[in-house]
């Protein structure tokens, strides 16, 4: 392949090719597009000196080793997709030289270390996906300067520290997943005011404090997942104004107060998970939510004296049978039923035994009848 000096476009994707890549592939001076995804290539990714390179897709292979530092030579690179391999090491600082980069997708590898500060120079970046790696350290605040960012997925790493407060000010932010990390601090207020964000997932972190009161500007929000944190305070009533919202997952926190009645206005809602909080009062009537498919209000502190029982499956009983006023404990119900059955059985045995004695000892009962008549 080293003799193909005029080669511009090379695509061998979606085959069953295996083996290692020749180092010469990184020296083809006119190569601009390299697509080798969905194969079984292994070994190290070669060093790159193709200064004209625009797209590299080596995803879904078996490459190992590190991301070569020479990736910084590719100043015209727009797409770098290396996900689903066996890469390790760190994200090279030289990635900051790829100032035209639009897509950096390195998820599902074994990459460690921190997100380099040089990422702040990637002002064309739209998709940043590093999920399912071993990244640590903090999320650089400079990420909020990348105004073209639409999709950020840093989930399932070991990131710590706080979430940059200005994330919600990114003018095109659409998808934000920071789940399964070790992030602390509070939920950024700016995210509740973003008119572009559709998906927020911050589950399984160490977030605390309250969430913003006013969500009225998040008009396109479809999914909010904050489960398994330490968030407290009340559930904002303004969530009930978000007509596109189809999933609220805030279980396993410390939310207090009652469930806002405004949630009954969310016609698109299909998932409502509020279990294992400190919610009180009575759940609202959710019978209007015809799209509701999954609902769990378990392990709270509801008082169900006036609860609505006719909720759509699987929310027929919003308190899952924990009715303090009208339901008897199962043990008491068992003894009442058993006692009733025993009385009926004894009555039947008495009648049967009496009829049996009349047939076996007819003269005895006849004499008893005569004696009774004489007394009268």
């Amino acid at each position: 392949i080293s003799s193909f000096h005029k080669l511009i476009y090379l695509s061998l994707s979606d085959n069953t090719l295996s083996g290692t890549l020749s180092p010469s592939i990184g020296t083809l001076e006119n190569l601009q597009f390299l697509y080798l995804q969905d194969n079984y290539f292994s070994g190290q990714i070669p060093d790159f000196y193709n200064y004209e390179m625009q797209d590299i897709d080596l995803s879904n292979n078996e490459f190992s080793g590190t991301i070569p530092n020479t990736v910084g030579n590719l100043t015209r690179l727009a797409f770098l997709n290396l996900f689903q391999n066996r890469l390790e090491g760190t994200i090279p600082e030289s990635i900051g030289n790829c100032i035209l980069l639009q897509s950096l997708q390195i998820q599902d590898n074994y990459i460690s270390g921190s997100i380099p500060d040089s990422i702040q120079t990637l002002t064309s970046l739209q998709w940043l996906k590093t999920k399912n790696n071993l990244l640590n350290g903090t999320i650089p605040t400079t990420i909020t300067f990348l105004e073209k960012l639409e999709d950020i997925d840093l989930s399932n790493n070991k990131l710590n520290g706080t979430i940059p407060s200005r994330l919600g000010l990114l003018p095109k932010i659409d998808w934000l997943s920071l789940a399964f990390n070790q992030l602390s601090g509070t939920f950024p207020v700016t995210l509740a005011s973003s008119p572009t964000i559709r998906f927020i997932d911050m589950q399984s972190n160490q977030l605390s404090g309250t969430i913003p009161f006013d969500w009225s500007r998040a008009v396109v929000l479809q999914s909010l997942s904050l489960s398994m944190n330490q968030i407290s305070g009340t559930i904002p009533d303004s969530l009930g104004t978000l007509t596109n919202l189809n999933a609220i997952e805030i279980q396993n926190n410390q939310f207090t107060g009652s469930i806002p009645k405004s949630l009954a206005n969310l016609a698109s809602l299909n998932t409502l998970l509020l279990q294992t909080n400190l919610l009180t009062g009575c759940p609202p009537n959710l019978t209007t939510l015809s799209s509701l498919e999954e609902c769990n209000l378990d392990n709270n502190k509801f008082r169900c004296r006036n609860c609505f029982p006719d909720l759509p499956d699987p929310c027929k009983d919003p308190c899952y049978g924990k009715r303090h006023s009208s339901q008897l404990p199962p043990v008491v119900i068992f003894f009442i039923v058993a006692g009733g059955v025993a009385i009926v059985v004894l009555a039947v045995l008495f009648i049967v035994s009496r009829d049996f004695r009349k047939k076996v000892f007819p003269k005895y009962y006849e004499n008893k009848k005569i004696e009774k008549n004489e007394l009268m």
Side-chain angles (χ1 to χ4, degrees):
I1 198 171
S2 59
S3 60
F4 296 161
H5 297 292
K6 295 184 178 180
L7 189 65
I8 296 175
Y9 184 102
L10 177 60
S11 179
L12 301 173
S13 61
D14 199 12
N15 284 288
T16 55
L17 299 173
S18 60
T20 60
L21 295 186
S22 169
S24 61
I25 204 169
T27 61
L28 299 175
E29 60 269 20
N30 290 304
L31 188 62
Q32 298 178 30
F33 304 96
L34 177 62
Y35 302 117
L36 304 180
Q37 69 268 26
D38 301 314
N39 281 290
Y40 297 95
F41 288 116
S42 57
Q44 299 236 358
I45 297 174
D47 286 322
F48 291 108
Y49 302 96
N50 325 65
Y51 299 106
E52 301 296 323
M53 188 75 79
Q54 296 181 32
D55 290 7
I56 298 177
D57 194 339
L58 307 182
S59 61
N60 198 18
N61 278 284
E62 298 177 357
F63 288 110
S64 57
T66 62
I67 302 173
N69 191 57
T70 52
V71 73
N73 294 330
L74 311 180
T75 55
R76 297 188 180 183
L77 191 66
F79 295 88
L80 180 60
N81 296 336
L82 305 177
F83 59 88
Q84 290 182 347
N85 279 286
R86 299 175 182 175
L87 299 173
E88 52 189 17
T90 62
I91 303 173
E93 191 76 28
S94 63
I95 196 73
N97 297 335
C98 305
I99 57 175
L100 300 180
L101 195 64
Q102 298 175 33
S103 174
L104 177 58
Q105 300 192 42
I106 57 174
Q107 63 267 35
D108 299 301
N109 281 286
Y110 301 97
I111 297 171
S112 57
S114 59
I115 300 173
D117 289 333
S118 62
I119 201 172
Q120 65 181 304
T121 63
L122 305 181
T123 54
S124 297
L125 197 63
Q126 299 176 35
W127 299 283
L128 175 60
K129 297 186 177 183
T130 71
K131 71 174 182 178
N132 297 334
N133 276 288
L134 303 171
L135 295 174
N136 53 38
T138 61
I139 302 173
T141 57
T142 52
I143 200 174
T144 61
F145 300 150
L146 308 181
E147 295 189 348
K148 293 185 179 180
L149 266 178
E150 298 177 14
D151 190 334
I152 302 174
D153 192 345
L154 311 181
S155 60
N156 202 14
N157 280 282
K158 297 180 179 180
L159 298 172
N160 54 48
T162 59
I163 301 170
S165 61
R166 295 173 58 87
L167 270 180
L169 299 181
L170 290 171
K172 296 185 177 181
I173 186 68
D174 173 74
W175 185 288
L176 177 62
S177 180
L178 305 177
F180 299 100
N181 279 289
Q182 300 167 15
L183 298 169
S184 57
T186 58
F187 182 93
V189 176
T190 56
L191 286 172
S193 302
S194 171
T196 61
I197 198 159
R198 291 186 305 115
F199 182 92
I200 298 174
D201 187 358
M202 297 183 182
Q203 64 176 302
S204 294
N205 277 286
Q206 299 168 14
L207 300 179
S208 58
T210 62
I211 61 175
F213 177 77
D214 186 7
W215 288 77
S216 59
R217 297 180 186 176
V219 290
V220 298
L221 186 64
Q222 296 180 10
S223 179
L224 176 63
S225 179
L226 303 175
S227 61
M228 291 177 281
N229 279 285
Q230 300 164 21
I231 300 173
S232 57
T234 59
I235 301 173
D237 185 70
S238 57
L239 286 177
T241 66
L242 306 181
T243 56
N244 291 300
L245 198 57
N246 57 51
I248 300 175
E249 301 177 9
I250 57 175
Q251 68 271 30
N252 294 88
N253 277 287
Q254 299 171 17
F255 283 102
T256 55
S258 59
I259 300 174
K261 293 182 180 180
S262 62
L263 297 190
N265 300 325
L266 299 176
S268 299
L269 195 67
N270 59 47
T271 302
L272 180 62
L273 303 181
L274 308 180
Q275 70 268 26
T276 316
N277 277 286
L278 302 172
L279 298 172
T280 56
C282 177
N285 185 355
L286 304 177
T287 55
T288 57
L289 301 182
S290 58
S291 298
L292 195 61
E293 297 178 0
E294 185 177 6
C295 177
N296 193 334
L297 313 181
D298 231 350
N299 295 325
N300 279 285
K301 296 186 175 183
F302 296 123
R303 296 185 63 84
C304 301
R305 191 177 301 276
N306 298 309
C307 289
F308 297 95
D310 300 322
L311 300 183
D313 285 334
C315 265
K316 285 184 177 178
D317 183 353
C319 294
Y320 283 75
K322 298 173 184 175
R323 295 186 176 276
H324 305 296
S325 59
S326 61
Q327 273 199 331
L328 294 173
V331 175
V332 176
I333 294 174
F334 171 78
F335 281 111
I336 291 175
V337 173
V341 171
I343 292 172
V344 171
V345 170
L346 289 173
V348 171
L349 290 175
F350 175 77
I351 295 171
V352 170
S353 63
R354 185 185 63 182
D355 292 342
F356 177 77
R357 289 196 300 271
K358 283 184 178 180
K359 291 179 181 179
V360 176
F361 307 108
K363 290 183 178 181
Y364 172 81
Y365 279 94
E366 186 64 28
N367 292 335
K368 285 289 183 182
K369 186 176 182 180
I370 293 172
E371 292 176 1
K372 182 177 180 182
N373 291 334
E374 290 178 349
L375 290 173
M376 294 177 64

